[in-house]
Amino acid sequence: SYKFISDLIDMIHEELTSAHKSSTFIVEEKKEITSDDDESKQTNISLPTDDYFYLNIKVHLTCDSCGYTRSKQEMYRHLSIDVGTVDGDKEKWTIERGLEQFFQPEKLDIRCEKCEKGQSATQNMEITSCPKVLLLHLKRFIFSSNSNNHKNNDNNDSTPRNESTNKRLTFRKNKKHVMLQQSLPIHQFCCLEEEISEDAFQLRGVVHHIGSSASSGHYTTDALRVRKNAEQWTTFDDNITKSTSLPQVLNDERNQQNSYLIMYQQR
């Protein structure tokens, strides 16, 4: 589902960009642009896909030898975060822990462009612009290989295999409990011109994957609906809809094991 929503946003953005370029071309034919200000109004229009799903992250690489730092900007439509280990860690995982792991400093093997000794660098990341909607993808599927115990191969089995070991290559699901939060604090990961409050992002929807592998399963959604100025949490399961509640969305253990795609929206 995260791949679908990611591709959908990209497709909508491409269509909006194309439509904007076409309309700009028509306007420029009808009216001569006489100043730089007018030109910026014609070309620098903010698209809805950028207003709602444009997350800008600044990446810093600092040489561990000489301290030289280089930076670059990266754009994200969503963030893919870990959900901890399957075994060993008995504590329930949280979205905030996943973000802390995503933004934690990382050692990289890379040569310094300024000094001859530098063979490694420390990478740090910080958010420099926030979207209206923050999409989070939980990396629940873990790559694994299983031995083939059958003497006769099934010609109808299309599961990918390692050619040298004849092991099946699969993505099993990590069903670790993930505690959702109504308010998601991201201020500690930001470097913004204006400060952002701890409760700026509020939970608006959760997509659940029910199943044990990436090749099969069923999707349901809990989302906050607004009707006649009233808000109601609602569960969507194919053609069935039913009312639910925020405590049920947050605390249901089945939901905690199956949450897969999460949407937070700025107040």
Side-chain angles (χ1 to χ4, degrees):
S1 63
Y2 97 92
K3 181 62 176 174
F4 170 79
I5 191 67
S6 180
D7 289 345
L8 178 62
I9 293 171
D10 287 340
M11 290 175 62
I12 294 174
H13 182 76
E14 290 175 4
E15 290 191 11
L16 290 174
T17 301
S18 178
H20 169 61
K21 287 180 179 178
S22 299
S23 63
T24 300
F25 177 76
I26 294 172
V27 170
E28 287 177 347
E29 280 193 328
K30 291 183 177 180
K31 182 178 179 180
E32 182 181 357
I33 298 176
T34 58
S35 69
D36 292 338
D37 290 341
D38 289 336
E39 186 173 2
S40 66
K41 290 177 182 178
Q42 294 291 340
T43 58
N44 293 332
I45 294 177
S46 180
L47 299 176
T49 44
D50 287 335
D51 290 340
Y52 283 87
F53 303 105
Y54 188 100
L55 180 68
N56 209 32
I57 292 179
K58 195 168 189 178
V59 181
H60 305 277
L61 281 175
T62 303
C63 175
D64 294 329
S65 180
C66 70
Y68 171 71
T69 299
R70 47 183 165 167
S71 303
K72 64 177 180 178
Q73 296 281 354
E74 294 184 348
M75 187 276 285
Y76 292 80
R77 296 292 186 193
H78 70 274
L79 297 181
S80 294
I81 61 177
D82 293 321
V83 294
T85 56
V86 181
D87 303 314
D89 188 356
K90 300 300 181 181
E91 293 184 12
K92 290 185 178 180
W93 196 255
T94 65
I95 300 299
E96 192 171 358
R97 283 183 67 184
L99 287 174
E100 288 172 352
Q101 195 168 92
F102 183 90
F103 284 99
Q104 71 180 0
E106 182 180 1
K107 293 280 187 179
L108 300 176
D109 293 327
I110 186 170
R111 293 190 63 179
C112 180
E113 60 187 42
K114 287 293 183 181
C115 73
E116 297 180 356
K117 295 181 179 180
Q119 300 294 323
S120 65
T122 300
Q123 175 180 279
N124 290 279
M125 299 188 297
E126 57 187 3
I127 298 172
T128 55
S129 69
C130 288
K132 292 181 179 179
V133 170
L134 180 61
L135 285 176
L136 300 175
H137 159 237
L138 301 184
K139 297 194 288 186
R140 285 203 177 271
F141 296 107
I142 304 166
F143 179 80
S144 63
S145 58
N146 299 317
S147 299
N148 179 24
N149 296 322
H150 300 286
K151 293 182 179 180
N152 298 320
N153 291 331
D154 183 358
N155 294 328
N156 294 323
D157 184 2
S158 59
T159 304
R161 294 176 184 271
N162 185 311
E163 292 183 359
S164 60
T165 63
N166 199 32
K167 289 184 177 181
R168 296 182 181 183
L169 306 179
T170 60
F171 285 90
R172 63 189 179 92
K173 185 176 178 180
N174 180 351
K175 293 187 177 182
K176 188 174 184 66
H177 288 76
V178 177
M179 296 285 290
L180 301 183
Q181 300 157 250
Q182 181 181 3
S183 300
L184 183 65
I186 66 167
H187 62 285
Q188 66 267 40
F189 312 118
C190 297
C191 180
L192 306 173
E193 294 182 0
E194 297 182 4
E195 291 187 4
I196 186 170
S197 64
E198 292 188 20
D199 62 347
F201 281 89
Q202 298 290 307
L203 185 65
R204 288 295 181 265
V206 185
V207 175
H208 305 100
H209 174 272
I210 302 171
S212 58
S213 70
S215 59
S216 63
H218 177 66
Y219 289 99
T220 64
T221 300
D222 291 325
L224 186 63
R225 301 178 75 181
V226 179
R227 283 188 166 183
K228 298 180 180 179
N229 299 321
E231 295 182 341
Q232 174 63 57
W233 278 95
T234 305
T235 297
F236 298 86
D237 185 354
D238 288 341
N239 63 336
I240 300 173
T241 62
K242 62 181 181 179
S243 297
T244 185
S245 64
L246 179 60
Q248 178 72 12
V249 173
L250 297 178
N251 301 322
D252 183 84
E253 293 208 359
R254 191 164 180 252
N255 287 345
Q256 292 176 1
Q257 286 186 299
N258 293 316
S259 53
Y260 185 55
L261 188 64
I262 305 162
M263 186 181 83
Y264 283 89
Q265 184 176 10
Q266 278 205 65
R267 285 175 176 270

